């Protein structure tokens, strides 16, 4: 009968060392990936930007500042002929406090349909169900808890049909 001799110790170490190094590198990758956070953003623009960076980015996207509607100390209102909404940006110093899209549409049915489309799109994008504290025909609210903020989709059909989408960092 043949008996196998155990491998000499100097031949076993590289295999054990290789496994140890692989385990260490794997653990470091897991830790590094878990610390990566997707920043809260408005249509691809990080809400961690300074106010001036955000304003410059909106201008680069074709929006212009509506100086008549803006308050130079706390808010900036953007308008664009390409988009069917206006954007209001509220800030405190150089930190963004909220970004709000305001849609004014012609009929109650069009705002209801758009509210549902935006709500469904955010539900899919964030992979989360919204908190809906109010769900009537002419007044609906859907709040999504995103990674670093809250996104609210608000429908108000009182006198003039309006739809608001508000992004508020935590």
């Amino acid at each position: 009968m043949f008996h196998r001799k155990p491998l000499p110790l100097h031949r076993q170490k590289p295999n054990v060392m290789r496994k140890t190094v692989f385990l260490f590198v794997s653990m470091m990758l897991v830790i590094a990936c878990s610390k990566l956070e997707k920043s809260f953003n408005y249509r691809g623009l990080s809400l961690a930007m300074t106010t001036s960076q955000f304003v410059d980015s909106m201008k680069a996207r074709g929006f212009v500042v509506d100086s008549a509607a803006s308050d130079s100390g706390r808010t900036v209102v953007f308008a664009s002929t390409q988009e069917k909404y206006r954007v209001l940006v509220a800030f405190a110093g150089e930190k963004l406090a909220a970004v709000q899209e305001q849609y004014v549409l012609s009929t109650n049915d069009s705002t209801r349909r758009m509210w549902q489309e935006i709500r469904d799109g955010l539900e899919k994008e964030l992979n989360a169900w919204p908190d809906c504290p109010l769900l009537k025909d002419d007044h609906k609210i859907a709040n999504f808890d995103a990674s670093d903020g809250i996104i609210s989709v608000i429908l108000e059909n009182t006198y003039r049909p309006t739809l608001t989408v508000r992004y508020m960092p935590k």
Side-chain angles (χ1 to χ4, degrees):
M1 296 256 154
F2 294 103
H3 291 288
R4 250 184 133 193
K5 289 183 182 178
L7 288 175
L9 204 52
H10 72 280
R11 292 182 104 191
Q12 290 179 1
K13 276 187 178 181
N15 195 20
V16 171
M17 285 298 288
R18 209 174 291 139
K19 289 179 181 178
T20 305
V21 168
F22 180 75
L23 178 66
F24 178 74
V25 169
S26 299
M27 293 293 287
M28 293 304 290
L29 283 172
V30 167
I31 291 170
C33 290
S34 67
K35 289 186 178 182
L36 289 176
E37 293 181 8
K38 187 178 177 183
S39 68
F40 188 52
N41 69 68
Y42 165 74
R43 295 186 180 255
L45 296 176
S46 173
L47 294 181
M49 290 180 169
T50 64
T51 303
S52 57
Q53 290 172 328
F54 192 85
V55 168
D56 291 342
S57 297
M58 289 297 286
K59 286 180 180 178
R61 290 182 173 200
F63 284 87
V64 294
V65 175
D66 182 354
S67 56
S70 298
D71 173 7
S72 62
R74 292 172 287 200
T75 60
V76 176
V77 177
F78 293 99
S80 172
T81 57
Q82 307 293 331
E83 301 294 339
K84 53 187 168 189
Y85 58 86
R86 294 170 59 88
V87 179
L88 177 125
V89 180
F91 55 92
E94 276 295 307
K95 187 177 178 186
L96 293 170
V99 176
Q100 178 175 298
E101 293 178 347
Q102 184 93 27
Y103 297 80
V104 177
L105 300 164
S106 57
T107 66
N108 288 347
D109 289 338
S110 60
T111 54
R112 285 186 198 117
R113 187 173 41 254
M114 185 174 261
W115 182 89
Q116 191 66 46
E117 289 170 3
I118 291 173
R119 180 193 174 274
D120 291 347
L122 285 169
E123 189 176 296
K124 195 174 197 177
E125 179 184 331
L126 299 172
N127 198 21
W129 289 93
D131 173 32
C132 297
L134 192 57
L135 277 176
K136 296 180 180 179
D137 280 344
D138 289 334
H139 194 182
K140 299 178 184 192
I141 300 173
N143 296 319
F144 290 89
D145 190 357
S147 59
D148 295 338
I150 303 289
I151 302 172
S152 298
V153 184
I154 305 162
L155 171 69
E156 296 176 297
N157 282 339
T158 21
Y159 301 108
R160 189 173 72 179
T162 58
L163 176 66
T164 303
V165 182
R166 185 178 304 139
Y167 296 76
M168 294 179 48
K170 288 182 183 177

